[in-house]
Amino acid sequence: MQRHLILLTARPARRIQEMARKREKTPDLFADLAEEPEKPERAAKPASPAVPDMPPPIARLAAGTPVDLGGKKVFVIDSHSLIYQVFHAISSMTAPDGRPVNALYGFLRDLLDLLARHKPDLLACAFDHSEITFRNDLYPEYKAHRDPMPEDLRSQIPHIQRLLDALGIPVIELPGYEADDIMATLARRVAEAGGRCVLVTADKDCRQLINDSVSLLNIRKGQLYGAPELLADWGVRPDQVVDFQALVGDSVDNVPGVESIGPKTATQLLQEYGTLDEVLANATTIKGKKGEKLAECADLARISKQLVKLDDDAPLEFDWSRAVVGQWDVETAVAICTEFGFRSLTDRVTKLGPATVGVTTWEANYRTVDTLEELRAEVERARRAGRFSFDTETTSTNPNWADLVGISLCSSPGEAIYVPVRAPAGARTLAEADVVAALQPLLGDPGLELVGQNIKYDLIVMRRNGLVGVNRLFDTLVADLLSDPGRPTHNLDELASRHLGHQTIPITDLIGTGREQGRMDEVPVPRITDYAAEDADVPMRLFPLLTRAVENVGLTELFRDVEMPLVQVLADMEYHGIRVDPDSLAALSKEFGVRLKLLEREIWQAAGSEFNVDSPKQLAEVLFDKLGLQEQRKTKTGRSTDNEVLEELEDRHPVPKLVIEYRQLGKLKGTYADALAEQINPRTGRVHTSFMQDVARTGRLSSKDPNLQNIPVRTAEGRRIRQAFVAGGPGYQLLCADWSQIELRMLAHFCGDAVMTEAFRREEDIHRVVAAEVNGVPLEDVTEAMRQGAKAVNFGIIYGQSPWGLARQLGIPRDAASGFIDAYFARYPAVDGFVRETLTAAAKDGFVRTILGRRRPVEGVRAPGPGPLSRNRTQAERIAVNTVIQGSAADLIKLAMIRVWRRLQTAGLDARLLLQIHDELLFEVADRDVMALAGLVNEEMTSTGALRVPLQVAIEAGPNWNDTQGVSLSSPLAASGSGGP
């Protein structure tokens, strides 16, 4: 069978169940820039086919090993060409540490696609060595107008080459020559050796290289390009390509060509005269302006021909053995993918090598315990050890909906048991009540330490069975998150592989996938024993390793005193849940549905025709073709009609604004009015969201299933949704405690500005104070427009807003926005100093820290120079500043939650903490204890931390989350914090 050589060139599951069941590592998208989803697969094209037919891995060949190219398929990639394409095709994407990775991700994805679909025998990547080549001697203006490579792209090139090295794919570059010349030289050599060469490029210059042995591949379009395609496209033969380009020129590369000669004319001339020389020789006989320009620009045409003609005899020394496909170092490649958060690509890269890569021998004694005597003996053994690992197997991914299938227990590494509670018919099991009672001495002992992975899930499951865990906790997921926050995932499978070199049993081995997926209580007990016992054993083995890891980064106190107590708080909150009125939701759904129909008709009337408002394609046709609005941006699927585009167009026609309103209302209906009703637990009549500690890189908590942190509070419709969240019954209220402007107070604390600090101490309107200072007017003369501008800049400091962004937000000219920002920093130089210090430290250390020491890796931050700070920061720089402020605020709210929750355990109040929504805490409290709870909460929240500015809390109470009124803290009852009668 004939084989081919392909050259690439470059130019300037723990388990499916655990990840779902225990809510591990499924990031949400957040409104603020610091909470980037970091899910590269969302920004890319649909997943490529699986890669089962990859070439088998081989050992690295010795240098100089002879390679016969005869009949081989050789691919050469035009690397910079492909890199630029994916960089611009994939929207902004960052690694967990903030580095841009869109080009790196896209390049690797396309490389894996190429290997899977085309199966080259040999593969290489050509890169430009520099911008200066022999062509600049011929024509100094050659490529003179090209923009410099974007810094966010330049920083990714070395990592692309790291990946290529790990995959055994050679990088080829040659001083004084372009990647095209390298491709031309290699293509000629492959053809002469009897092989077939495919050049992976979209560069039209390479069309001159096409022959019976050389073709082009546009990997973005999936198009193989040869002489027939060239003839259909340009109407010329491959040997006429250089002459064609010499006539037409190239504005991108600054190749002059002949003025007024376009592609159509060039084709006609070459079809008539054959070559450029003949065209120029007959210039005087060609009538009209064409002839005049040909005669006038003859010398430029000849220079253009030299510029576009590729050198296929470049002095290139190349060892073909380096390009033989299959010489991958899978472990290194997987490590790089993991470093940059490429979850889906990591799986594909792993398939390049044998399944045993990275796996060590695992000696363990796992057994089934199905008698109470044995279970009690194991519990006593764990109690004497003082530390134990515990895990539950259940019937549901949601702990508040789950039935207990069994528990696993480990008190010594390598020794673990599984206790079945539910199992297939005929299997020996223990009664659920007996198992819970037997575990009481363990989970009910605060002197014992409980080790586990995502322990919160197991605490809720056991709480549903009447057993409240009160142990000291060590959660391996959170420990790994703190010690290595740059990792994209911290699930048990990944921890076992990375720290222990062990490949865990996939859950799919037990319950299958897709339509055939079963439940855990249907799995035979012997099969589930090894799986479940391993789940308890792995955390116990990880314990000493992760203890040292947390110590090494200086975060033992944060882990012990904040994150672990918080697990108990969150488990309690999720267990209680919050009541949602289904009748209110049903009424809202009906009302929103009617309004959507009315909006749809209003859109049709404004557009002058009926169309599917939910179809981006049909909407684009209406906006840009029928209404004649200017296109703003194109995507891979067509003309963009996202909300950002619609906002840019809403002042030009009524339709864009109406569509924005239609979409917002539709989202509220689908996400909340409809979906929330289905998430009410039939056992409790409540909604039980899940709070995650391991998603937001700033340290913020994230809410999921349902996400209650994104309900809009500034719109009437959003407030109507909040009205459906109600107190648990007659005689109870919801109490909301909201920190006032906590992030701006953190900014004032860090920068130490005297004016800001004093404004907060006097409880003045900080936005009005800033507006007065920046505009140089008395406080009483500040207009609402001035205040809004100051507010935008205040928060813009946190999120790294550019002058362009501020101008767009306020609807003012960019120069005015830039002037406002400059005036702000001139008046508040301490803020500039804080930003400078933060960026300097981030550039030096590669990470930033919050007020409690939490680390976040942020690579790619530029150290500020001595001059004024740039107002156009990179994403990494925005993340650095944002993390310090927002992450510190997150630290304080966690401390406040722990303090309030602990007080509630002994205060004797009929009250409980239900939700945390960023800076807001939501409680359920009996009417008689409202004032006492308000006093307790105010005392704890205002005394959390030791800032330069005071903390202020707004406290309101009412029958539902929306209809609340302020609670006075002046009464003796509230001030004392004592309970009611």
Side-chain angles (χ1 to χ4, degrees):
M1 180 176 68
Q2 187 183 40
R3 297 199 298 166
H4 301 258
L5 171 65
I6 297 181
L7 257 154
L8 303 175
T9 68
R11 287 178 178 261
R14 160 146 160 222
R15 327 287 202 268
I16 297 169
Q17 186 188 42
E18 182 188 45
M19 295 178 66
R21 183 194 74 181
K22 298 194 174 182
R23 303 300 180 239
E24 284 195 15
K25 214 56 198 157
T26 311
D28 292 321
L29 297 176
F30 297 90
D32 61 81
L33 78 94
E35 306 311 326
E36 63 276 3
E38 298 170 331
K39 294 185 73 176
E41 48 270 39
R42 286 190 178 181
K45 67 182 183 182
S48 303
V51 199
D53 297 324
M54 284 290 195
I58 61 174
R60 292 276 172 115
L61 300 176
T65 300
V67 177
D68 180 8
L69 300 181
K72 299 290 179 62
K73 183 165 58 175
V74 182
F75 279 60
V76 183
I77 297 177
D78 184 357
S79 306
H80 281 122
S81 174
L82 181 55
I83 290 168
Y84 266 96
Q85 287 180 64
V86 295
F87 176 75
H88 291 296
I90 299 176
S91 59
S92 179
M93 181 191 302
T94 60
D97 58 14
R99 283 178 289 179
V101 294
N102 54 337
L104 176 60
Y105 176 86
F107 188 87
L108 176 59
R109 179 201 60 198
D110 285 359
L111 182 61
L112 293 173
D113 285 349
L114 186 148
L115 288 167
R117 294 173 180 173
H118 299 280
K119 300 178 178 59
D121 298 314
L122 287 86
L123 179 62
C125 285
F127 282 78
D128 292 327
H129 183 270
S130 70
E131 295 292 331
I132 304 301
T133 69
F134 66 88
R135 293 177 178 85
N136 296 94
D137 295 330
L138 293 171
Y139 189 63
E141 291 83 5
Y142 179 66
K143 293 189 177 181
H145 298 156
R146 276 201 172 184
D147 293 332
M149 182 182 293
E151 185 56 39
D152 280 356
L153 174 56
R154 185 182 301 278
S155 64
Q156 298 182 60
I157 301 295
H159 301 298
I160 290 174
Q161 295 184 344
R162 283 175 59 202
L163 263 171
L164 290 172
D165 181 66
L167 295 174
I169 299 170
V171 169
I172 311 172
E173 55 186 12
L174 186 63
Y177 292 84
E178 297 182 43
D180 287 353
D181 301 309
I182 296 173
M183 289 191 290
T185 300
L186 293 176
R188 179 184 58 81
R189 294 180 184 178
V190 171
E192 291 176 350
R196 289 192 56 198
C197 188
V198 178
L199 304 175
V200 183
T201 181
D203 194 331
K204 295 176 181 178
D205 290 353
C206 290
R207 295 182 178 186
Q208 64 188 270
L209 304 175
I210 293 172
N211 57 42
D212 290 343
S213 300
V214 179
S215 56
L216 311 183
L217 173 64
N218 186 322
I219 198 168
R220 310 296 315 136
K221 296 180 179 180
Q223 177 188 29
L224 199 63
Y225 198 93
E229 290 77 19
L230 174 63
L231 184 63
D233 194 1
W234 280 357
V236 299
R237 304 182 305 272
D239 61 287
Q240 294 176 307
V241 167
V242 174
D243 293 346
F244 177 90
Q245 292 179 288
L247 287 167
V248 174
D250 186 341
S251 60
V252 175
D253 289 347
N254 209 31
V255 175
V258 177
E259 187 180 346
S260 301
I261 301 295
K264 185 175 180 180
T265 302
T267 297
Q268 293 172 347
L269 291 172
L270 290 173
Q271 286 177 348
E272 182 174 355
Y273 296 101
T275 66
L276 176 64
D277 290 340
E278 286 299 315
V279 170
L280 296 179
N282 287 277
T284 56
T285 66
I286 297 174
K287 296 181 180 180
K289 191 175 181 179
K290 287 188 295 185
E292 294 174 7
K293 289 299 181 181
L294 285 167
E296 180 183 331
C297 300
D299 289 341
L300 283 178
R302 294 186 180 97
I303 291 175
S304 297
K305 181 173 182 176
Q306 294 181 69
L307 294 176
V308 299
K309 182 172 175 55
L310 302 181
D311 188 345
D312 66 358
D313 194 25
L316 180 67
E317 295 183 4
F318 180 62
D319 181 359
W320 287 108
S321 65
R322 295 171 52 209
V324 174
V325 169
Q327 302 178 80
W328 4 83
D329 178 352
V330 174
E331 290 182 86
T332 299
V334 165
I336 295 172
C337 289
T338 303
E339 173 187 344
F340 289 104
F342 299 159
R343 290 183 289 278
S344 63
L345 296 187
T346 300
D347 294 338
R348 295 183 63 187
V349 170
T350 302
K351 294 176 183 177
L352 297 175
T356 56
V357 170
V359 177
T360 59
T361 302
W362 191 258
E363 296 182 1
N365 179 23
Y366 300 154
R367 58 194 179 88
T368 304
V369 168
D370 52 18
T371 68
L372 273 178
E373 292 74 17
E374 285 183 283
L375 175 57
R376 289 169 180 153
E378 290 296 326
V379 167
E380 177 59 24
R381 178 183 175 190
R383 192 189 65 77
R384 290 196 304 268
R387 178 182 301 118
F388 65 96
S389 178
F390 176 80
D391 189 61
T392 59
E393 302 303 332
T394 66
T395 58
S396 172
T397 61
N398 188 315
N400 284 290
W401 297 65
D403 290 323
L404 186 65
V405 172
I407 66 102
S408 51
L409 184 65
C410 172
S411 57
S412 177
E415 300 279 340
I417 64 166
Y418 173 66
V419 182
V421 171
R422 286 177 172 83
R428 287 173 58 91
T429 61
L430 290 179
E432 189 170 344
D434 291 341
V435 171
V436 171
L439 292 173
Q440 177 63 49
L442 281 184
L443 293 176
D445 188 342
L448 302 180
E449 185 169 28
L450 167 56
V451 180
Q453 173 80 2
N454 195 21
I455 299 173
K456 174 164 62 71
Y457 179 94
D458 305 296
L459 293 177
I460 298 170
V461 169
M462 297 311 296
R463 179 84 174 266
R464 297 242 71 86
N465 285 275
L467 181 53
V468 179
V470 296
N471 311 98
R472 290 179 291 113
L473 303 180
F474 188 99
D475 195 316
T476 51
L477 181 155
V478 181
D480 192 64
L481 171 71
L482 286 185
S483 61
D484 200 354
R487 296 282 178 177
T489 58
H490 306 273
N491 61 57
L492 197 65
D493 289 342
E494 204 268 334
L495 296 188
S497 174
R498 174 155 46 93
H499 292 289
L500 303 173
H502 176 65
Q503 185 175 348
T504 52
I505 301 169
I507 181 63
T508 52
D509 284 2
L510 277 70
I511 62 174
T513 60
R515 294 181 179 179
E516 303 301 320
Q517 182 173 315
R519 294 199 318 265
M520 292 298 284
D521 56 344
E522 299 170 337
V523 180
V525 170
R527 292 189 61 205
I528 203 173
T529 292
D530 284 346
Y531 169 86
E534 183 182 67
D535 282 356
D537 184 20
V538 170
M540 188 62 83
R541 298 190 193 221
L542 289 170
F543 172 79
L545 304 177
L546 292 178
T547 298
R548 288 194 296 270
V550 173
E551 290 173 351
N552 290 340
V553 293
L555 294 180
T556 298
E557 290 185 3
L558 177 64
F559 177 77
R560 181 192 63 216
D561 300 337
V562 179
E563 295 296 342
M564 288 302 95
L566 185 66
V567 172
Q568 293 278 15
V569 177
L570 297 178
D572 190 62
M573 292 164 59
E574 292 182 28
Y575 169 79
H576 286 298
I578 184 169
R579 186 181 167 204
V580 179
D581 181 8
D583 294 336
S584 295
L585 292 176
L588 276 178
S589 178
K590 184 177 180 180
E591 177 187 329
F592 288 172
V594 171
R595 289 180 57 191
L596 283 170
K597 287 293 184 183
L598 293 175
L599 270 174
E600 184 179 51
R601 293 193 184 99
E602 195 173 348
I603 292 168
W604 289 347
Q605 185 176 6
S609 64
E610 295 185 7
F611 66 99
N612 183 357
V613 181
D614 294 311
S615 166
K617 181 179 179 182
Q618 292 186 34
L619 178 60
E621 291 171 353
V622 169
L623 293 176
F624 308 127
D625 299 336
K626 182 175 181 180
L627 301 180
L629 299 178
Q630 185 176 356
E631 297 176 16
Q632 302 294 309
R633 187 172 66 251
K634 287 189 176 181
T635 67
K636 290 180 290 184
T637 57
R639 296 171 291 185
S640 176
T641 58
D642 63 18
N643 275 13
E644 185 177 349
V645 168
L646 296 181
E647 288 169 1
E648 294 173 0
L649 298 173
E650 63 181 352
D651 293 334
R652 306 175 195 177
H653 195 277
V655 168
K657 188 172 184 178
L658 289 170
V659 173
I660 292 174
E661 184 180 354
Y662 175 88
R663 287 177 175 176
Q664 290 172 342
L665 188 61
K667 182 176 181 180
L668 284 176
K669 182 181 185 299
T671 305
Y672 297 108
D674 295 339
L676 275 176
E678 297 177 359
Q679 293 174 301
I680 297 175
N681 190 309
R683 297 177 179 177
T684 66
R686 293 178 172 239
V687 167
H688 302 265
T689 186
S690 177
F691 290 100
M692 296 172 289
Q693 295 166 269
D694 63 326
V695 172
R697 301 296 176 184
T698 57
R700 268 186 167 188
L701 292 174
S702 298
S703 167
K704 188 185 178 207
D705 294 335
N707 181 356
L708 300 182
Q709 295 181 333
N710 286 345
I711 302 175
V713 295
R714 293 183 176 88
T715 66
E717 293 81 7
R719 291 190 291 272
R720 296 281 304 283
I721 295 292
R722 281 197 168 204
Q723 281 183 321
F725 290 79
V726 297
Y732 285 86
Q733 298 183 47
L734 295 182
L735 184 142
C736 308
D738 193 354
W739 257 334
S740 171
Q741 298 174 332
I742 180 62
E743 291 175 0
L744 290 181
R745 292 173 193 266
M746 294 303 315
L747 175 62
H749 168 76
F750 282 117
C751 75
D753 181 84
V755 175
M756 277 189 178
T757 302
E758 189 62 23
F760 280 123
R761 285 175 180 165
R762 294 180 179 179
E763 297 187 4
E764 295 176 332
D765 182 339
I766 187 65
H767 303 312
R768 191 168 293 277
V769 170
V770 169
E773 292 286 333
V774 172
N775 289 282
V777 299
L779 197 62
E780 60 270 17
D781 292 341
V782 171
T783 66
E784 185 58 26
M786 291 179 182
R787 184 184 182 278
Q788 288 302 315
K791 181 178 180 180
V793 174
N794 276 333
F795 287 109
I797 299 307
I798 302 172
Y799 300 111
Q801 190 174 51
S802 66
W804 181 85
L806 179 63
R808 182 177 173 188
Q809 179 179 345
L810 298 179
I812 61 177
R814 183 173 178 177
D815 290 345
S818 181
F820 200 108
I821 292 176
D822 289 340
Y824 177 95
F825 282 109
R827 183 58 192 84
Y828 295 101
V831 175
D832 232 3
F834 158 70
V835 173
R836 182 181 293 275
E837 290 175 6
T838 300
L839 297 180
T840 299
K844 175 178 176 292
D845 302 330
F847 60 85
V848 293
R849 285 189 182 272
T850 66
I851 195 169
L852 294 186
R854 185 187 311 275
R855 290 163 43 117
R856 181 180 186 179
V858 186
E859 297 292 341
V861 174
R862 302 167 297 184
L869 278 177
S870 170
R871 303 303 173 215
N872 294 308
R873 297 186 211 132
T874 65
Q875 186 170 15
E877 291 160 356
R878 293 194 298 272
I879 288 172
V881 176
N882 174 272
T883 297
V884 174
I885 298 173
Q886 193 181 85
S888 295
D891 285 349
L892 293 194
I893 195 70
K894 288 179 178 180
L895 278 176
M897 292 170 67
I898 295 167
R899 292 173 59 160
V900 170
W901 183 80
R902 284 175 171 169
R903 284 280 301 274
L904 287 176
Q905 307 310 300
T906 57
L909 304 181
D910 187 358
R912 59 207 57 85
L913 176 59
L914 302 184
L915 298 179
Q916 185 264 357
I917 308 297
H918 299 317
D919 309 326
E920 177 184 4
L921 298 182
L922 187 65
F923 300 82
E924 186 174 66
V925 56
D927 290 342
R928 64 189 179 93
D929 288 332
V930 168
M931 298 302 294
L933 177 64
L936 183 155
V937 170
N938 182 70
E939 179 183 339
E940 294 299 339
M941 291 185 71
T942 56
S943 62
T944 299
L947 305 186
R948 298 178 183 180
V949 296
L951 294 174
Q952 187 176 9
V953 183
I955 299 180
E956 298 181 338
N960 61 64
W961 195 1
N962 183 67
D963 298 328
T964 57
Q965 295 180 344
V967 177
S968 172
L969 300 175
S970 58
S971 73
L973 182 64
S976 69
S978 61

